[in-house]
Amino acid sequence: MVKLAANISMLFPELDFLDKYQAAADAGFKAVENLFPEGFEPEQLAEKLQAAGLQQALHNLPAGDWAGGDRGIACDPNRVGEFQDSVGRGIAMAKALNCPKINCLAGKLPEGVAPEKAEEALVSNLAFAANELKKEGILLVAEAINTFDIPGFFLTNTTQTLAVLDKVGSDNLLFQYDIYHMQRMEGELAATIKANFDRIGHIQLADNPGRHEPGTGEINYDFLLPYIDELGYDGWVGCEYVPQEGFGWMKRFNG
């Protein structure tokens, strides 16, 4: 059966962040992921993981000034030094949390930057990050995000993202396939996952519309999650959604 990880950046919004680890365990999750563990001491988070009996499945590289509107800086040719510094911070956190994967957010196309220049910066930055992470035994993934939620985001679909990964040419870089984002941008979920299965390093979910839990929208998770399992996916599926109806939905899926 599929293995579900709680995205504690979005789940349990009523709780303080450090209290979410035990809440995730109490809800039946065996692993967690989150956007950015920065802001806390690594030892503090590692202690929470251990106390709750959880694994850290994934976190993102630092993504610039999130509160100021940044959604990643990897495609910005004017912030290469900042990006490289963020890779070092991301590695340090991942090692402290024994986290095997880090996601890189490409970011929004910077104002005044031509798309081809942004792609050049992204390819170069991904190559740098993939190489640095490989030295530490950590996999790098990169995801596409829908432009309804984040207008201007640079990577928006499977074909474009895989083309960028091809240009990077690293054996330590795979695609993070977010079912919710790709439903909004392209559909064809099952066929796309099967066709590109060997290039997918992490999967996330939410239903559409509303980005709530499976069963609240149009995506047939009763078919899709067992299908992904049948294909042989053995990684964690990150539950990155806005909670609405509790966690009863996951009992029939969580292994």
Side-chain angles (χ1 to χ4, degrees):
M1 298 184 69
V2 294
K3 302 185 300 182
L4 301 173
N7 187 299
I8 55 175
S9 294
M10 295 188 70
L11 299 183
F12 313 106
E14 72 280 6
L15 298 177
D16 291 336
F17 184 77
L18 293 177
D19 295 329
K20 293 184 176 188
Y21 290 88
Q22 189 58 53
D26 292 344
F29 292 100
K30 305 298 183 184
V32 296
E33 62 175 35
N34 52 292
L35 295 178
F36 312 108
E38 287 193 318
F40 297 93
E41 293 298 324
E43 297 78 13
Q44 194 177 21
L45 302 184
E47 183 178 307
K48 290 294 183 180
L49 283 168
Q50 184 176 11
L54 296 167
Q55 299 178 46
Q56 182 79 30
L58 175 104
H59 62 76
N60 291 339
L61 286 176
D65 181 5
W66 193 266
D70 285 340
R71 293 298 180 264
I73 58 175
C75 72
D76 192 336
N78 300 310
R79 301 174 75 175
V80 172
E82 183 182 349
F83 177 83
Q84 293 185 355
D85 288 344
S86 78
V87 172
R89 299 202 311 275
I91 288 172
M93 182 63 75
K95 291 174 68 175
L97 303 181
N98 196 28
C99 180
K101 299 175 186 177
I102 296 179
N103 180 44
C104 177
L105 293 169
K108 296 180 284 189
L109 180 66
E111 185 176 355
V113 175
E116 58 269 21
K117 293 299 182 182
E119 183 177 282
E120 288 177 9
L122 178 59
V123 168
S124 176
N125 281 331
L126 288 173
F128 173 84
N131 184 60
E132 294 300 304
L133 267 63
K134 185 175 182 179
K135 295 175 185 177
E136 305 295 341
I138 302 168
L139 177 68
L140 180 66
V141 293
E143 70 174 318
I145 291 179
N146 81 77
T147 54
F148 301 98
D149 290 356
I150 306 181
F153 198 82
F154 191 70
L155 293 179
T156 64
N157 61 69
T158 299
T159 299
Q160 178 201 16
T161 304
L162 293 180
V164 167
L165 269 55
D166 286 340
K167 290 181 179 180
V168 176
S170 172
D171 62 358
N172 195 48
L173 174 61
L174 292 175
F175 183 26
Q176 177 170 300
Y177 189 89
D178 187 301
I179 294 168
Y180 164 75
H181 289 306
M182 293 303 91
Q183 171 69 0
R184 298 206 71 183
M185 294 303 295
E186 62 190 25
E188 280 294 298
L189 300 171
T192 302
I193 291 170
K194 182 177 181 180
N196 301 288
F197 184 75
D198 291 341
R199 306 196 66 182
I200 294 174
H202 189 67
I203 294 174
Q204 293 178 323
L205 63 73
D207 217 329
N208 185 59
R211 202 174 185 175
H212 300 304
E213 53 267 76
T216 60
E218 65 187 354
I219 302 175
N220 184 3
Y221 278 105
D222 285 330
F223 165 77
L224 190 61
L225 288 180
Y227 181 77
I228 291 169
D229 189 41
E230 290 171 9
L231 289 175
Y233 180 72
D234 60 359
W236 294 99
V237 177
C239 298
E240 190 183 41
Y241 64 81
V242 179
Q244 186 179 55
E245 297 181 357
F247 299 100
W249 69 270
M250 61 182 266
K251 293 180 180 178
R252 63 189 185 275
F253 298 121
N254 206 9

